[in-house]
mmCIF file of all heavy atoms in Angstrom:
data_model
loop_
_atom_site.group_PDB
_atom_site.id
_atom_site.type_symbol
_atom_site.label_atom_id
_atom_site.label_comp_id
_atom_site.label_asym_id
_atom_site.label_seq_id
_atom_site.Cartn_x
_atom_site.Cartn_y
_atom_site.Cartn_z
ATOM 1 N N LYS R 1 76.158 -83.159 142.961
ATOM 2 C CA LYS R 1 76.017 -84.503 143.537
ATOM 3 C C LYS R 1 75.658 -85.537 142.485
ATOM 4 O O LYS R 1 75.380 -86.691 142.806
ATOM 5 C CB LYS R 1 74.931 -84.476 144.631
ATOM 6 C CG LYS R 1 75.244 -83.555 145.805
ATOM 7 C CD LYS R 1 76.469 -84.019 146.573
ATOM 8 C CE LYS R 1 76.710 -83.131 147.792
ATOM 9 N NZ LYS R 1 77.931 -83.550 148.540
ATOM 10 N N GLU R 2 75.635 -85.141 141.225
ATOM 11 C CA GLU R 2 75.291 -86.073 140.160
ATOM 12 C C GLU R 2 76.375 -87.140 140.010
ATOM 13 O O GLU R 2 77.553 -86.899 140.298
ATOM 14 C CB GLU R 2 75.113 -85.325 138.839
ATOM 15 C CG GLU R 2 73.919 -84.378 138.824
ATOM 16 C CD GLU R 2 73.831 -83.603 137.536
ATOM 17 O OE1 GLU R 2 74.685 -82.739 137.315
ATOM 18 O OE2 GLU R 2 72.894 -83.871 136.744
ATOM 19 N N VAL R 3 75.981 -88.315 139.546
ATOM 20 C CA VAL R 3 76.903 -89.430 139.373
ATOM 21 C C VAL R 3 77.946 -89.094 138.305
ATOM 22 O O VAL R 3 77.622 -88.522 137.260
ATOM 23 C CB VAL R 3 76.131 -90.708 138.975
ATOM 24 C CG1 VAL R 3 77.097 -91.837 138.623
ATOM 25 C CG2 VAL R 3 75.206 -91.133 140.107
ATOM 26 N N VAL R 4 79.196 -89.450 138.601
ATOM 27 C CA VAL R 4 80.305 -89.184 137.681
ATOM 28 C C VAL R 4 80.888 -90.505 137.208
ATOM 29 O O VAL R 4 81.202 -91.382 138.019
ATOM 30 C CB VAL R 4 81.411 -88.349 138.361
ATOM 31 C CG1 VAL R 4 82.568 -88.105 137.388
ATOM 32 C CG2 VAL R 4 80.850 -87.035 138.868
ATOM 33 N N LYS R 5 81.025 -90.649 135.886
ATOM 34 C CA LYS R 5 81.634 -91.838 135.301
ATOM 35 C C LYS R 5 82.706 -91.403 134.308
ATOM 36 O O LYS R 5 82.593 -90.345 133.691
ATOM 37 C CB LYS R 5 80.592 -92.712 134.592
ATOM 38 C CG LYS R 5 79.497 -93.252 135.511
ATOM 39 C CD LYS R 5 78.511 -94.115 134.734
ATOM 40 C CE LYS R 5 77.401 -94.638 135.636
ATOM 41 N NZ LYS R 5 76.441 -95.487 134.893
ATOM 42 N N LEU R 6 83.718 -92.244 134.174
ATOM 43 C CA LEU R 6 84.802 -91.941 133.238
ATOM 44 C C LEU R 6 85.122 -93.161 132.398
ATOM 45 O O LEU R 6 85.434 -94.227 132.930
ATOM 46 C CB LEU R 6 86.059 -91.503 133.993
ATOM 47 C CG LEU R 6 87.327 -91.317 133.146
ATOM 48 C CD1 LEU R 6 87.144 -90.175 132.150
ATOM 49 C CD2 LEU R 6 88.546 -91.087 134.027
ATOM 50 N N LEU R 7 85.023 -92.999 131.086
ATOM 51 C CA LEU R 7 85.476 -94.035 130.164
ATOM 52 C C LEU R 7 86.925 -93.746 129.817
ATOM 53 O O LEU R 7 87.260 -92.644 129.362
ATOM 54 C CB LEU R 7 84.639 -94.028 128.873
ATOM 55 C CG LEU R 7 83.317 -94.815 128.867
ATOM 56 C CD1 LEU R 7 82.300 -94.168 129.808
ATOM 57 C CD2 LEU R 7 82.746 -94.881 127.453
ATOM 58 N N GLY R 8 87.802 -94.722 130.061
ATOM 59 C CA GLY R 8 89.215 -94.518 129.810
ATOM 60 C C GLY R 8 89.898 -95.780 129.339
ATOM 61 O O GLY R 8 89.266 -96.831 129.184
ATOM 62 N N PHE R 9 91.177 -95.655 129.123
ATOM 63 C CA PHE R 9 92.020 -96.776 128.705
ATOM 64 C C PHE R 9 93.242 -96.775 129.612
ATOM 65 O O PHE R 9 93.834 -95.717 129.844
ATOM 66 C CB PHE R 9 92.416 -96.614 127.234
ATOM 67 C CG PHE R 9 93.282 -97.711 126.684
ATOM 68 C CD1 PHE R 9 92.882 -99.033 126.763
ATOM 69 C CD2 PHE R 9 94.500 -97.426 126.068
ATOM 70 C CE1 PHE R 9 93.671 -100.058 126.246
ATOM 71 C CE2 PHE R 9 95.295 -98.428 125.546
ATOM 72 C CZ PHE R 9 94.878 -99.754 125.639
ATOM 73 N N TRP R 10 93.633 -97.907 130.134
ATOM 74 C CA TRP R 10 94.575 -98.005 131.240
ATOM 75 C C TRP R 10 95.901 -97.274 131.009
ATOM 76 O O TRP R 10 96.505 -96.744 131.933
ATOM 77 C CB TRP R 10 94.847 -99.479 131.576
ATOM 78 C CG TRP R 10 95.642 -100.208 130.510
ATOM 79 C CD1 TRP R 10 95.133 -100.821 129.398
ATOM 80 C CD2 TRP R 10 97.045 -100.377 130.449
ATOM 81 N NE1 TRP R 10 96.139 -101.369 128.648
ATOM 82 C CE2 TRP R 10 97.339 -101.122 129.275
ATOM 83 C CE3 TRP R 10 98.116 -100.001 131.271
ATOM 84 C CZ2 TRP R 10 98.633 -101.478 128.901
ATOM 85 C CZ3 TRP R 10 99.407 -100.343 130.905
ATOM 86 C CH2 TRP R 10 99.666 -101.079 129.748
ATOM 87 N N VAL R 11 96.366 -97.211 129.752
ATOM 88 C CA VAL R 11 97.672 -96.615 129.479
ATOM 89 C C VAL R 11 97.544 -95.221 128.834
ATOM 90 O O VAL R 11 98.549 -94.594 128.526
ATOM 91 C CB VAL R 11 98.509 -97.560 128.581
ATOM 92 C CG1 VAL R 11 98.038 -97.475 127.128
ATOM 93 C CG2 VAL R 11 100.000 -97.281 128.697
ATOM 94 N N SER R 12 96.328 -94.744 128.677
ATOM 95 C CA SER R 12 96.087 -93.457 128.022
ATOM 96 C C SER R 12 96.501 -92.288 128.917
ATOM 97 O O SER R 12 95.988 -92.131 130.019
ATOM 98 C CB SER R 12 94.600 -93.323 127.661
ATOM 99 O OG SER R 12 94.267 -91.995 127.355
ATOM 100 N N GLN R 13 97.407 -91.456 128.398
ATOM 101 C CA GLN R 13 97.816 -90.273 129.144
ATOM 102 C C GLN R 13 96.631 -89.337 129.361
ATOM 103 O O GLN R 13 96.479 -88.735 130.424
ATOM 104 C CB GLN R 13 98.912 -89.499 128.409
ATOM 105 C CG GLN R 13 100.087 -90.322 127.947
ATOM 106 C CD GLN R 13 99.969 -90.706 126.486
ATOM 107 O OE1 GLN R 13 99.183 -91.558 126.137
ATOM 108 N NE2 GLN R 13 100.760 -90.071 125.623
ATOM 109 N N SER R 14 95.792 -89.207 128.340
ATOM 110 C CA SER R 14 94.642 -88.306 128.420
ATOM 111 C C SER R 14 93.652 -88.760 129.487
ATOM 112 O O SER R 14 93.116 -87.946 130.248
ATOM 113 C CB SER R 14 93.944 -88.221 127.056
ATOM 114 O OG SER R 14 94.822 -87.707 126.076
ATOM 115 N N SER R 15 93.407 -90.071 129.550
ATOM 116 C CA SER R 15 92.508 -90.599 130.577
ATOM 117 C C SER R 15 93.089 -90.378 131.972
ATOM 118 O O SER R 15 92.374 -90.021 132.912
ATOM 119 C CB SER R 15 92.276 -92.101 130.358
ATOM 120 O OG SER R 15 91.648 -92.340 129.125
ATOM 121 N N MET R 16 94.399 -90.582 132.091
ATOM 122 C CA MET R 16 95.036 -90.443 133.390
ATOM 123 C C MET R 16 94.971 -89.012 133.898
ATOM 124 O O MET R 16 94.799 -88.764 135.094
ATOM 125 C CB MET R 16 96.486 -90.913 133.302
ATOM 126 C CG MET R 16 97.148 -91.162 134.658
ATOM 127 S SD MET R 16 96.295 -92.417 135.642
ATOM 128 C CE MET R 16 96.507 -93.869 134.616
ATOM 129 N N ARG R 17 95.099 -88.052 132.992
ATOM 130 C CA ARG R 17 94.976 -86.648 133.394
ATOM 131 C C ARG R 17 93.642 -86.387 134.084
ATOM 132 O O ARG R 17 93.570 -85.695 135.101
ATOM 133 C CB ARG R 17 95.084 -85.742 132.162
ATOM 134 C CG ARG R 17 96.451 -85.648 131.552
ATOM 135 C CD ARG R 17 96.367 -84.964 130.197
ATOM 136 N NE ARG R 17 97.672 -84.870 129.545
ATOM 137 C CZ ARG R 17 97.855 -84.739 128.253
ATOM 138 N NH1 ARG R 17 96.799 -84.695 127.446
ATOM 139 N NH2 ARG R 17 99.066 -84.648 127.736
ATOM 140 N N VAL R 18 92.575 -86.932 133.510
ATOM 141 C CA VAL R 18 91.241 -86.719 134.067
ATOM 142 C C VAL R 18 91.126 -87.380 135.439
ATOM 143 O O VAL R 18 90.577 -86.798 136.382
ATOM 144 C CB VAL R 18 90.162 -87.256 133.110
ATOM 145 C CG1 VAL R 18 88.777 -87.110 133.723
ATOM 146 C CG2 VAL R 18 90.229 -86.532 131.770
ATOM 147 N N GLU R 19 91.666 -88.583 135.570
ATOM 148 C CA GLU R 19 91.621 -89.262 136.870
ATOM 149 C C GLU R 19 92.401 -88.491 137.921
ATOM 150 O O GLU R 19 91.958 -88.364 139.072
ATOM 151 C CB GLU R 19 92.171 -90.691 136.736
ATOM 152 C CG GLU R 19 91.272 -91.628 135.951
ATOM 153 C CD GLU R 19 91.480 -93.081 136.331
ATOM 154 O OE1 GLU R 19 91.030 -93.497 137.415
ATOM 155 O OE2 GLU R 19 92.109 -93.797 135.530
ATOM 156 N N TRP R 20 93.567 -87.972 137.549
ATOM 157 C CA TRP R 20 94.351 -87.172 138.499
ATOM 158 C C TRP R 20 93.550 -85.969 138.983
ATOM 159 O O TRP R 20 93.529 -85.667 140.179
ATOM 160 C CB TRP R 20 95.646 -86.696 137.836
ATOM 161 C CG TRP R 20 96.671 -87.766 137.626
ATOM 162 C CD1 TRP R 20 96.794 -88.947 138.304
ATOM 163 C CD2 TRP R 20 97.720 -87.764 136.653
ATOM 164 N NE1 TRP R 20 97.846 -89.686 137.811
ATOM 165 C CE2 TRP R 20 98.431 -88.976 136.815
ATOM 166 C CE3 TRP R 20 98.126 -86.869 135.674
ATOM 167 C CZ2 TRP R 20 99.543 -89.301 136.029
ATOM 168 C CZ3 TRP R 20 99.222 -87.179 134.879
ATOM 169 C CH2 TRP R 20 99.915 -88.380 135.052
ATOM 170 N N ALA R 21 92.902 -85.281 138.058
ATOM 171 C CA ALA R 21 92.127 -84.093 138.419
ATOM 172 C C ALA R 21 90.978 -84.443 139.355
ATOM 173 O O ALA R 21 90.745 -83.756 140.364
ATOM 174 C CB ALA R 21 91.592 -83.409 137.157
ATOM 175 N N LEU R 22 90.252 -85.503 139.044
ATOM 176 C CA LEU R 22 89.140 -85.924 139.893
ATOM 177 C C LEU R 22 89.631 -86.302 141.288
ATOM 178 O O LEU R 22 89.012 -85.949 142.305
ATOM 179 C CB LEU R 22 88.401 -87.106 139.254
ATOM 180 C CG LEU R 22 87.608 -86.806 137.981
ATOM 181 C CD1 LEU R 22 87.142 -88.104 137.322
ATOM 182 C CD2 LEU R 22 86.410 -85.909 138.276
ATOM 183 N N ARG R 23 90.748 -86.987 141.362
ATOM 184 C CA ARG R 23 91.290 -87.418 142.641
ATOM 185 C C ARG R 23 91.821 -86.245 143.457
ATOM 186 O O ARG R 23 91.657 -86.204 144.679
ATOM 187 C CB ARG R 23 92.395 -88.461 142.418
ATOM 188 C CG ARG R 23 91.857 -89.819 142.009
ATOM 189 C CD ARG R 23 92.929 -90.759 141.490
ATOM 190 N NE ARG R 23 92.370 -92.069 141.219
ATOM 191 C CZ ARG R 23 92.453 -93.102 142.052
ATOM 192 N NH1 ARG R 23 93.086 -92.995 143.198
ATOM 193 N NH2 ARG R 23 91.904 -94.269 141.728
ATOM 194 N N LEU R 24 92.463 -85.302 142.794
ATOM 195 C CA LEU R 24 92.952 -84.119 143.505
ATOM 196 C C LEU R 24 91.800 -83.336 144.129
ATOM 197 O O LEU R 24 91.947 -82.759 145.210
ATOM 198 C CB LEU R 24 93.735 -83.219 142.548
ATOM 199 C CG LEU R 24 95.143 -83.704 142.174
ATOM 200 C CD1 LEU R 24 95.663 -82.928 140.968
ATOM 201 C CD2 LEU R 24 96.108 -83.570 143.345
ATOM 202 N N LYS R 25 90.665 -83.334 143.464
ATOM 203 C CA LYS R 25 89.509 -82.615 143.968
ATOM 204 C C LYS R 25 88.632 -83.459 144.898
ATOM 205 O O LYS R 25 87.661 -82.956 145.456
ATOM 206 C CB LYS R 25 88.666 -82.103 142.788
ATOM 207 C CG LYS R 25 89.296 -80.893 142.087
ATOM 208 C CD LYS R 25 88.435 -80.407 140.955
ATOM 209 C CE LYS R 25 88.975 -79.103 140.377
ATOM 210 N NZ LYS R 25 88.701 -77.927 141.223
ATOM 211 N N GLY R 26 88.978 -84.737 145.038
ATOM 212 C CA GLY R 26 88.207 -85.603 145.923
ATOM 213 C C GLY R 26 86.840 -85.969 145.381
ATOM 214 O O GLY R 26 85.903 -86.210 146.150
ATOM 215 N N VAL R 27 86.711 -86.014 144.055
ATOM 216 C CA VAL R 27 85.428 -86.345 143.421
ATOM 217 C C VAL R 27 85.336 -87.855 143.224
ATOM 218 O O VAL R 27 86.219 -88.465 142.621
ATOM 219 C CB VAL R 27 85.287 -85.640 142.055
ATOM 220 C CG1 VAL R 27 83.978 -86.039 141.373
ATOM 221 C CG2 VAL R 27 85.368 -84.131 142.220
ATOM 222 N N GLU R 28 84.269 -88.443 143.731
ATOM 223 C CA GLU R 28 84.060 -89.879 143.536
ATOM 224 C C GLU R 28 83.561 -90.138 142.116
ATOM 225 O O GLU R 28 82.724 -89.394 141.606
ATOM 226 C CB GLU R 28 83.043 -90.406 144.549
ATOM 227 C CG GLU R 28 83.543 -90.371 145.993
ATOM 228 C CD GLU R 28 82.569 -91.040 146.947
ATOM 229 O OE1 GLU R 28 81.563 -91.615 146.472
ATOM 230 O OE2 GLU R 28 82.819 -90.985 148.166
#
């Protein structure tokens, strides 16, 4: 239940991978 934050860059493929994974798992 700990707070999750992500530092990314809008066009970064690497950042997008992490966002996809978090969203697939339903992690806020």
Side-chain angles (χ1 to χ4, degrees):
K1 298 296 183 181
E2 294 177 290
V3 173
V4 179
K5 298 180 181 180
L6 173 65
L7 275 67
F9 180 55
W10 69 274
V11 77
S12 165
Q13 310 98 286
S14 299
S15 298
M16 195 60 64
R17 289 168 181 157
V18 177
E19 290 205 74
W20 287 337
L22 291 170
R23 286 167 175 262
L24 285 166
K25 285 181 173 284
V27 177
E28 293 186 5

